[in-house]
Amino acid sequence: MDGTANGSLSELPDEMFSIIQSTAHTLSPRLARLSLPGRRIIDTPHYLANTSRGVVPHITQDTFRRDTSIAGVYVALEDFIERAPRKVPPLYQFKPSDGASPLRKFVALQDDALLVLGARRTPPVIAPAANSNTDTTVSICTAVGFRQMKVDDYAEEAEELKPDILVGLGDVPYGRVLGNKRVERATDRMIQWMQEHVALRDERKDGHQAKLFAPLLPVECVKQQFYADCLAEELAKDISGLALYDLSTLEDIPESLAHLPRLGFTEPKTPHEVLQQVALGLDILTVPFIGAATDAGIALDFTFPSRQILNGSGPQPLGVDMWSAEHAVDLSPLSKDCQCYACSNHHRAYLQHLLSAKEMLGWVILQIHNHHTMDLFFAGIRQSIARNSLDEDVHAFSKAYESQLPEKTGQGPRVRGYQYKAEGPGESKKNAVAFKHAMNDGKEKLAEATPPAEDVDAEDLEIKGFAEKEEL
Amino acid sequence: MPEQDDMVPRPLPSALTFELASRCSTTKARAATLHLPHGPVQLPMFMPVATQASLKGLTPKQLEETSCRLCLNNTYHLGLKPGQKTLDIIGGAHKLQSWPHNILTDSGGFQMVSLLKLAQVTEEGVRFLSPHDGTPMLLTPEHSISLQNSIGSDIIMQLDDVIATTSPDHERIKEAMHRSVRWLDRCIEAHKKPDSQNLFCIIQGGLDLDLRRECCREMVARDTPGIAIGGLSGGEAKTEFCKVVDTCTGLLPTHKPRYVMGVGYPEDILVSVALGADMFDCVWPTRTARFGNAITDSGCFNLRHASYAEDFGPIEQGCKCICCKPDSEGGLGITRAYIHHTAAKETVGAHLLSMHNVHYLLNLMRRVREAIVEDRYPEFLRTHFKKLYSDNPPTWAVDALRGVGVDLLG
Ligand SMILES: [Zn+2]
Ligand SMILES: [Zn+2]
C-alpha cells in the first residue's frame, strides 16, 4: 500500500479496489475507488443501501432508477430461501437467458448498481441459542422461521447467483460475546469454510466470478491470527475484500491484508458513528438507520461538513419528525436546499398528510430523501478526507448536531416484516391478510377507508369545514 | 347532427368541452375527447382512485407513467385529513399531491352514510354523530360543494341521497331521487367556481326505471357540464344494473360526458360502454393489487398462489407496463415469481402490481376507444369475452349486449 494520492480515472490500474489516499496508520480514514466490470465506479468511503427481499424497502425498481442515486445495495440470501432445503428455492431455478446474474435480474436491480450478497441481513434477527451454528451449518432467519443453512450449499448457490461481491459465510456470533474457546472454534471453522469455498471456485472457474470478501470474526485480528494468516497467505489471491462485524477488528488488521477493501456490517446508529467508523478505516458501510429513520417518519437533515453556524442555539436535530402537525401547511421541502426527487416535487405538508393518513407513499418519499441525504453525507466525507480535514470536520459536526436521531413519535408503516424481530416458525402469518373477493364495490370502498379517527371531535370537524355542529 | 337540447340555453357555466370523435354503428358506444381544466382526456376512460390524495404508494410520476390523466380523490377523506382549512392554505388538492393533471372528487355523502352507522339523511343533509364525543353533526350539500371548491378538483359531484338500490322501500327510493334533485339545486347555488370546476349531477332512482327516467328529465334540465349515474355500485343484479344504464343513456344528451360511478370490473365497463357510458372509477385494481391479484386479459390471478413461485414470465405476456416490459425495452422485467416473493412481505410488491393493474385498465380503455373509432367494437367485445369466459359468457352480459345489437354467442 502506498499513500500517494492519484487522481484521474485513466491512471487507475485494472484493479477492483485502488487506494487513492491513506496513511500508514491502520486506524485512519482512506479514500479509494471501487470499480467492477459493468458497474458504476464507486468512490469510497461510501455506503450500500440495505434491502429486504431484494428491494430497498418502499422503493420500486423504476423509482430506484429514476429518482435515486443509490450506487449499490446489500442483499441477504436468507430473504430468498425459506423453502430450502425441502424445496429448491425459486431463485435458484431462475436462469436468465443471457447468462446474466440471476439475482440481479430477479430483483430487477439497475444494471450499473453494485450488487453485494451475503448470507444474513444487517442487522440480522438473532438466532435463539438453540439454533446456533455448527461445523457445517449456519443459522439463518427466513420468512418461515429459523433454518440451518449448509455451508457448502451457501458457497455453491451464492456463486451461482453471480453478485458483484459475495461475502463468504462466517461463524459470526451475532449479539453474543465470544469466549476464547469459542473464538478458537470459530477460527477453525472459518479457515475450513473459506478454504472449501475457494476450492469450489477453483473448480467452477467460469471466468465471471463474484469478488469474494472474507468475513472476519468480531474480535481483534490477533485473536483470529491463524485465520488472518490463512487469508493473507494461502488464500491471498482468492480474496478481494474483508467483511467486518466489529470495530475492534480494525485495530490490528495486518499489513498483509491492509490493501483489501473493508466492508462494514457494524450497524452505526447515527451519522456520528458513521464518521467514527470511517475515521477508523472502513471503506464501505451498511447503514441500517437510514431505513429505520424512514419508518419512523423522520427526514434526515444534516450536512457534512456541517454548514450550521453555531449561534448559541445549541446543536441542531439530525432529522425532522415529519409526523409533527407543525408541518401541516408547510410548503417547504423536507430539507432546505435538498435537490432530491422528494424535495423538488413534494413539500412537508403533503408528507405530514401522507403519514397521518398512513398512506404508503409517505414512506416512499422519505426513503428517497433519506438515501439522498446519505449520498451527500458520504460525498462530504470523501471531500473532507481529501482535504485532510476529517478530524476538524467531525469535531465541528459533533458540536453542530445532536448526538441522537430524533425520537420516533408516529407509527411506522402498517406492514411489519417477519424480519424485524425473532419469531417462531409460522408466526409470520401476522402479515397475511385474508383476501375476500368482494363483489360489492361499495364494501371495498369502505374497507379502503378509515372511519373518522377516534380523536377527531366535533369541534375539529367544524373547524375543518367538514360539517357543522347542530344546535340541540 | 343537432341535438334537441342544444336549443336549451345554458344557465350553468362549464369548464369543459366534450368533443365527440366517433360513434359505434352497432352499439351505443362513443369515443370522445373531454377537455378539462388540467388537460384533455380520452373517453371512454377509467379513473383510478387516490382516496387520500395518493394512489397506493405510487408517486405522481409513476401514476403519470401508467398514462393516467384523471384520478379520483375522496372528499370525505380529504375533509377529515388534511381538512378544509389546510387545503385552502395549501391551495387545493393538485398542489397538495403535486399532481399536474385532472382530479375528480365525489361528494363525501356516500362514504359518510356507509361509514357511519348512525348517519341519517334528512332534507337538510346527512346527520351523524361525531365519532369522538357523540355530538350531532350535519353535512349539507353546501358543505360538500364548499369542500370540493377548496379541493379544487376539475370535476366535482353533487351531494346526493344515496340508498342501496337493493332497498325494498320503494317510497324511500322515490324520496331519495326527488331529494337528490332538490340537493342538486342547492349544489348549483352553492358552487363558487363553475369556471374552473365542473359540477356533475347524479341520476338516482334505484332500479325503478320510471324513477330513473324522471330523474334524468329533471337533472338534464339543470344542464350540468356532466352527468353521473349513481347508486349502482351496490349488490344489485347485473341485469338490473344494465337496464338502468341503458335507460339513462337513452335520455341523456349526446354532447355531455356520462359517468357510471363505482364501476370497475373490466366486463362491467365493456358492457357499460356498449350501453353508452363514458367514465368509470373503482378502487378495485389497486386494492386487489395489495392482495397479490393481477388483472389480465384472461382474468384475475392471485400471484400469492404457490403455483407462481417459480413462474418467471411477466405478470402478463405482452403487457407494455413498466413492470412487465423486459429491460431490453426499457422496462423492469419483473416476473410473477418476484411479485410472489414480495407479495404481503414488502409493500413494493403491491406497488408494482398496482402499476400493472392501473396500466391494464387504462390500456383496456385505449383499446376500447380504438375499436370504437375503427368501428369494430362489437368484434372487440366478442373477442374479449371469449378470452375471459371461453364459450360461456355470463347471461347478463349476453342479454345486455344483445339489446344493443351484439351477439356474444354468435
Ligand atoms: Zn430531499
Ligand atoms: Zn404489466
Side-chain angles (χ1 to χ4, degrees), chain A residues 327-332 334 341-342 344-357 359 361-362 365, chain B residues 38 50-55 58-60 71-75 77-101 103 105 147 150-153:
Chain A
H327 309 302
V329 293
D330 187 343
L331 298 182
S332 58
L334 280 51
Y341 166 79
S344 25
N345 288 277
H346 298 290
H347 40 69
R348 292 180 175 202
Y350 187 44
L351 184 52
Q352 200 271 340
H353 163 74
L354 292 172
L355 290 174
S356 75
E359 281 287 338
L361 182 58
I365 287 177
Chain B
H38 286 84
T51 302
Q52 314 193 74
S54 94
L55 190 86
L58 269 59
T59 65
C71 72
L72 257 76
N73 283 175
N74 287 123
T75 296
H77 291 88
L78 293 190
L80 288 172
K81 261 185 219 313
Q84 186 167 28
K85 211 166 85 182
T86 304
L87 284 163
D88 282 337
I89 299 173
I90 291 173
H94 291 90
K95 283 206 179 129
L96 173 69
Q97 62 207 300
S98 304
W99 176 244
H101 307 294
I103 297 174
T105 43
L147 253 175
S150 293
I151 291 170
S153 32

Side-chain angles (χ1 to χ4, degrees), chain A residues 398-420:
Chain A
S398 73
K399 292 270 179 260
Y401 291 102
E402 289 172 356
S403 61
Q404 301 295 322
L405 287 162
E407 288 287 330
K408 166 180 167 180
T409 62
Q411 295 153 284
R414 232 180 302 202
V415 179
R416 303 295 304 193
Y418 60 91
Q419 307 94 340
Y420 290 89

Side-chain angles (χ1 to χ4, degrees), chain A residues 167-178:
Chain A
V167 180
L169 202 53
D171 185 17
V172 183
Y174 296 102
R176 290 184 187 86
V177 178
L178 292 188

Side-chain angles (χ1 to χ4, degrees), chain B residues 301-321:
Chain B
F301 300 97
N302 192 329
L303 296 182
R304 274 161 64 173
H305 192 273
S307 60
Y308 298 107
E310 295 153 16
D311 186 336
F312 301 112
I315 303 167
E316 181 172 27
Q317 203 69 46
C319 174
K320 295 293 175 202
C321 86

Side-chain angles (χ1 to χ4, degrees), chain A residues 82-103:
Chain A
E82 43 256 22
R83 300 194 292 172
R86 197 166 39 79
K87 255 196 114 193
V88 180
L91 178 59
Y92 295 174
Q93 301 171 45
F94 184 40
K95 309 281 176 216
S97 52
D98 52 1
S101 155
L103 179 59

